[in-house]
Amino acid sequence: MGSTTADSSLASHFTLNTGAQIPAVGFGTWQAAPHEVEKAVEVALKEGYRHIDCAAIYRNENEVGEGIRKSGVPRKDIFITGKLWNSKHAPEDVESALDTSLKDLGTDYVDLYLMHWPCAFRPGDKFFPLQEDGVFDLADIDYVTTYKAMEKLLETGKAKSIGVSNFNIRRLKDLLSRTDVVPATNQVEAHPYLTQPDLLEFCRSKGIILEAYSPLGNNQTGEPRTVDDKLVHEVAKKLNMDPGVVLGSWGVQRGTVVLPKSVTPSRIASNLQVKQIPEAELKQLNSLEKHKRFNFPARWGYDIFDEAGQAAVAKVARDAAEENKAKFTV
């Protein structure tokens, strides 16, 4: 499954179903402002990260590329992930979307290219296309059709492996039954508030590595994050570890890639220091499970996780329409 580092006995890498090695701790670039992310990526690579997680929708790939160049770390030593955005799901748009990311990142290939969400938006150059009334303009494009276009990227050498993100078991089963290439990874939100054991087990059974975004929780909703939990802090204190590192270690120990993000140099460095957590503390962290999602864009009007129900998300989509007009202008 993975190779271990001598001092921590946790996997430093996992092996993808392509045979490629993916570093167990990656550097996330989501919610990082362009001027900050360039420096953060440079610092991360100089601190020893060799895995950078990017996406077109983060709208900072230019700066990420600049940070990679300034780090002085050779491209061949870095695992770079890119993601196909919802408005580029039409098969004829897939390769050109990747080409744009490659140009912005300043590289001629990505190590992994993911479908960011199973949900398709109206094709075009707007990241967030809205109907006239402000409701999100979704497109009736089957994610399998999109994925088949992604499979063709493997022949071009522009993507060394492909995968998905935000897919649940039902959609993965559907995808696997109608496509040829098993996704290398499925990148989803995961932390002790949202452990997703069934999804983790299903992915493992199919040779799909689960990658965890928001491994510390996130502050999108303004609620306390997982990393702010009292028990997480108690465990961290007992183990003489940083709370963020405790959560990163928990993720790697259960066989998932973790993608912490920070723009603070000291935090960037410490997030890489994952190590084995004793069984008793692991159980304590697992006990925090409450199926808490920090990231569920219900306003799109698409029941992404099959948890809310189509009628409920359709109502959220309508209720958000007016606010969307001001909020989603790109």
Side-chain angles (χ1 to χ4, degrees), residues 135-181:
V135 171
F136 270 87
D137 202 352
L138 304 187
D140 186 18
I141 303 170
D142 185 348
Y143 48 75
V144 168
T145 307
T146 305
Y147 191 81
K148 283 180 173 174
M150 291 172 65
E151 288 180 331
K152 291 180 181 159
L153 297 174
L154 296 169
E155 299 157 22
T156 68
K158 294 175 186 178
K160 303 294 185 193
S161 55
I162 58 171
V164 294
S165 180
N166 298 299
F167 269 58
N168 61 9
I169 294 174
R170 179 182 72 83
R171 288 200 176 90
L172 283 172
K173 281 182 175 172
D174 179 40
L175 184 80
L176 291 168
S177 73
R178 298 194 282 142
T179 54
D180 298 321
V181 178

Side-chain angles (χ1 to χ4, degrees), residues 41-229:
V41 167
E42 181 187 351
V43 168
L45 289 167
K46 285 179 174 173
E47 287 290 350
Y49 286 82
R50 291 296 178 265
H51 175 183
I52 308 292
D53 185 74
C54 316
I57 191 58
Y58 304 163
R59 308 208 306 280
N60 59 13
E61 287 184 319
N62 256 318
E63 291 80 7
V64 169
E66 206 48 52
I68 291 170
R69 282 186 288 284
K70 285 187 174 169
S71 75
V73 176
R75 167 66 186 94
K76 67 177 175 58
D77 295 343
I78 309 170
F79 190 101
I80 299 178
T81 298
K83 302 189 196 78
L84 179 75
W85 184 239
N86 308 357
S87 55
K88 301 295 178 185
H89 276 213
E92 62 272 20
D93 290 340
V94 170
E95 187 171 356
S96 59
L98 174 56
D99 287 341
T100 299
S101 285
L102 294 177
K103 183 169 172 282
D104 286 347
L105 289 165
T107 181
D108 53 8
Y109 72 95
V110 289
D111 296 272
L112 176 63
Y113 197 51
L114 305 179
M115 190 187 316
H116 206 149
W117 296 88
C119 167
F121 290 170
R122 182 186 76 222
D125 290 327
K126 278 192 96 66
F127 284 108
F128 296 108
L130 304 175
Q131 298 174 31
E132 274 184 37
D133 59 2
V135 171
F136 270 87
D137 202 352
L138 304 187
D140 186 18
I141 303 170
D142 185 348
Y143 48 75
V144 168
T145 307
T146 305
Y147 191 81
K148 283 180 173 174
M150 291 172 65
E151 288 180 331
K152 291 180 181 159
L153 297 174
L154 296 169
E155 299 157 22
T156 68
K158 294 175 186 178
K160 303 294 185 193
S161 55
I162 58 171
V164 294
S165 180
N166 298 299
F167 269 58
N168 61 9
I169 294 174
R170 179 182 72 83
R171 288 200 176 90
L172 283 172
K173 281 182 175 172
D174 179 40
L175 184 80
L176 291 168
S177 73
R178 298 194 282 142
T179 54
D180 298 321
V181 178
V182 176
T185 70
N186 180 23
Q187 188 180 126
V188 298
E189 180 182 346
H191 41 75
Y193 283 179
L194 184 69
T195 58
Q196 312 220 59
D198 296 343
L199 181 61
L200 177 58
E201 194 42 55
F202 178 81
C203 286
R204 196 173 277 152
S205 75
K206 300 298 180 187
I208 302 168
I209 295 280
L210 201 70
E211 295 188 86
Y213 70 74
S214 298
L216 316 185
N218 74 48
N219 51 12
Q220 269 208 307
T221 53
E223 300 162 276
R225 300 168 302 164
T226 320
V227 74
D228 302 321
D229 191 277

